[in-house]
Amino acid sequence: MRTIGLIGGMSWESSAEYYRIINRRARDRLGAPASARCILWSFDFAEIAALQAAGDWSALTERMVAAATALERAGAGILVIASNTMHRMADQVAEAVSAELIHIVDPTAEQIKAAGIQRVGLLGTAFTMEQDFYRGRLADYHGLEVLVPDAQDRATVHQIIYDELVAGVVHPRSRTAYRAVIARLADRGARAVILGCTEIMLLIGAEDSPVPLFDTTRLHAEAAFDRALA
């Protein structure tokens, strides 16, 4: 089993879920009391969020590359960026190390295609929904048609992530708001919805959607363990 290096703390709420899912996968695949070999680099998300808001992606890239190289030096053979948004610099991270980077889009897209779905809705931070690094990979690498919410819905989804979910706050009114956004995506023709922020799974489940949901946190974490075991 190769060691998994987790670049986390973005936020720690989702990083804790990654650790839980990876080790549950280890137990399911190998039996109790097995667990995964993991190393965690955890950022202070207050610093990361401030740089995101300022649009300083160069500084963020430097920090991500430094974390990846530190994890590789510590023995990680698999790398996982435990954040959808921070996959904006996934290519630069992958180029800086020899460890294998598992891109969060790829296991998600493979599951969508396996289900015979071609048109999907995408929820995430404004960066993920509006910039091309994420939608472009879904379309160009995997041939998926991606729908995003309208401007007002994107603002609502983004605000709930940063004001509530990264702090572990789950409000019923926010669940209601997300349900409405998902319903509008389904009305526009989305046959499934990607939970493209690693905290959304804290708020939304299958019972909240008229179409299938693809949870990037679970799919990414499970794929990382499977590659580590392979």
Side-chain angles (χ1 to χ4, degrees):
M1 184 192 304
R2 286 185 285 174
T3 299
I4 300 170
L6 289 165
I7 305 176
M10 303 173 292
S11 68
W12 73 258
E13 293 284 348
S14 62
S15 300
E17 294 300 321
Y18 267 86
Y19 187 75
R20 181 179 294 108
I21 293 165
I22 286 170
N23 283 292
R24 188 166 59 226
R25 186 74 160 184
R27 184 179 59 201
D28 292 344
R29 292 286 305 274
L30 302 175
S35 57
R37 294 193 180 106
C38 294
I39 307 169
L40 171 63
W41 178 288
S42 188
F43 282 105
D44 176 357
F45 189 56
E47 298 174 359
I48 298 298
L51 290 169
Q52 290 174 342
D56 195 345
W57 298 104
S58 178
L60 288 164
T61 299
E62 291 177 4
R63 294 188 181 208
M64 293 292 288
V65 168
T69 54
L71 287 167
E72 184 174 47
R73 286 196 303 269
I78 296 285
L79 289 178
V80 173
I81 300 172
S83 161
N84 284 272
T85 298
M86 297 302 280
H87 275 74
R88 189 183 192 278
M89 60 280 299
D91 289 345
Q92 294 94 320
V93 171
E95 290 170 1
V97 295
S98 57
E100 181 182 2
L101 178 70
I102 308 298
H103 197 293
I104 198 167
V105 163
D106 297 338
T108 303
E110 291 301 330
Q111 288 291 317
I112 291 168
K113 291 186 292 184
I117 295 169
Q118 197 272 329
R119 178 182 287 179
V120 294
L122 173 63
L123 300 182
T125 67
F127 313 112
T128 299
M129 292 185 289
E130 295 172 3
Q131 297 180 15
D132 190 57
F133 71 93
Y134 201 95
R135 293 182 292 121
R137 192 175 184 95
L138 286 165
D140 299 339
Y141 280 66
H142 298 283
L144 297 177
E145 181 181 351
V146 184
L147 304 177
V148 297
D150 64 23
Q152 182 174 346
D153 282 349
R154 291 198 304 272
T156 298
V157 169
H158 181 89
Q159 181 180 9
I160 289 170
I161 290 168
Y162 279 87
D163 290 352
E164 299 173 18
L165 298 183
V166 300
V169 176
V170 176
H171 283 307
R173 66 175 181 271
S174 297
R175 181 175 292 110
T176 298
Y178 266 56
R179 285 173 172 170
V181 173
I182 291 169
R184 284 189 281 274
L185 286 170
D187 288 343
R188 289 170 51 199
R191 292 188 54 215
V193 170
I194 297 171
L195 304 185
C197 171
T198 52
E199 285 84 19
I200 294 178
M201 51 90 73
L202 301 173
L203 179 67
I204 291 295
E207 67 279 5
D208 299 303
S209 174
V211 296
L213 299 178
F214 287 84
D215 173 17
T216 56
T217 304
R218 179 182 64 80
L219 294 170
H220 195 205
E222 290 181 349
F225 177 78
D226 290 349
R227 288 298 297 163
L229 189 61

